[in-house]
């Protein structure tokens, strides 16, 4: 957990570069490809890359909700509303990485 926070903090504004993160490449984070993927993004792509991921996640959720709202019948809104919870684990992952 502390390594994830250290990785996020060491990224700075623009990061250390793709594939050049010290916490990630030296294997201080054990499950960096699954549980700590947001920390890896924060370290290698920095605040800008992390913000892009957050905006992208919010945009996808917004589009799912909008598609459900614009549906013409109750069956058509079931698909976007059914896909919406698939992005919840992404938010939980980001929350865990940020403590």
């Amino acid at each position: 957990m502390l390594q994830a926070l250290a990785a996020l903090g060491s990224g700075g504004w623009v990061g250390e570069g793709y594939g050049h993160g010290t916490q990630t490449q030296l294997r201080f984070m054990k499950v960096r490809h699954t549980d700590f993927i947001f920390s890896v993004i924060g370290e290698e792509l920095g605040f800008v890359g992390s913000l892009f991921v957050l905006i992208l996640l919010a945009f996808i959720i917004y589009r799912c909700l909008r598609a459900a709202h614009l549906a013409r019948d109750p069956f058509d809104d079931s698909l976007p509303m059914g896909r919406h919870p698939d992005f919840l684990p992404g938010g939980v992952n980001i929350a865990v990485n940020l403590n």
Side-chain angles (χ1 to χ4, degrees), residues 7 19 54-55 60 65 79 90 99:
L54 289 173
I55 290 171
I60 291 172
L65 293 174
L79 181 63
N99 247 350

Side-chain angles (χ1 to χ4, degrees), residues 56-72:
L56 186 64
L57 184 64
F59 178 72
I60 291 172
I61 291 172
Y62 166 75
R63 292 292 295 181
C64 285
L65 293 174
R66 185 172 181 267
H69 178 69
L70 295 176
R72 296 177 191 218

Side-chain angles (χ1 to χ4, degrees):
M1 228 25 186
L2 293 176
Q3 296 298 332
L5 288 175
L8 276 170
S10 67
W13 282 98
V14 292
E16 297 180 7
Y18 181 72
H20 296 287
T22 55
Q23 300 288 327
T24 306
Q25 299 304 320
L26 296 177
R27 300 181 188 270
F28 288 118
M29 291 185 291
K30 301 297 181 199
V31 282
R32 62 194 177 279
H33 59 285
T34 55
D35 293 342
F36 296 111
I37 190 68
F38 189 72
S39 294
V40 172
I41 291 170
E43 181 182 24
E44 294 184 354
L45 302 178
F47 179 74
V48 175
S50 299
L51 188 62
F52 178 74
V53 168
L54 289 173
I55 290 171
L56 186 64
L57 184 64
F59 178 72
I60 291 172
I61 291 172
Y62 166 75
R63 292 292 295 181
C64 285
L65 293 174
R66 185 172 181 267
H69 178 69
L70 295 176
R72 296 177 191 218
D73 60 58
F75 181 73
D76 287 343
D77 71 348
S78 63
L79 181 63
M81 289 308 289
R83 299 304 302 171
H84 176 260
D86 289 343
F87 298 102
L88 181 65
V92 172
N93 183 294
I94 291 170
V96 166
N97 282 282
L98 295 176
N99 247 350

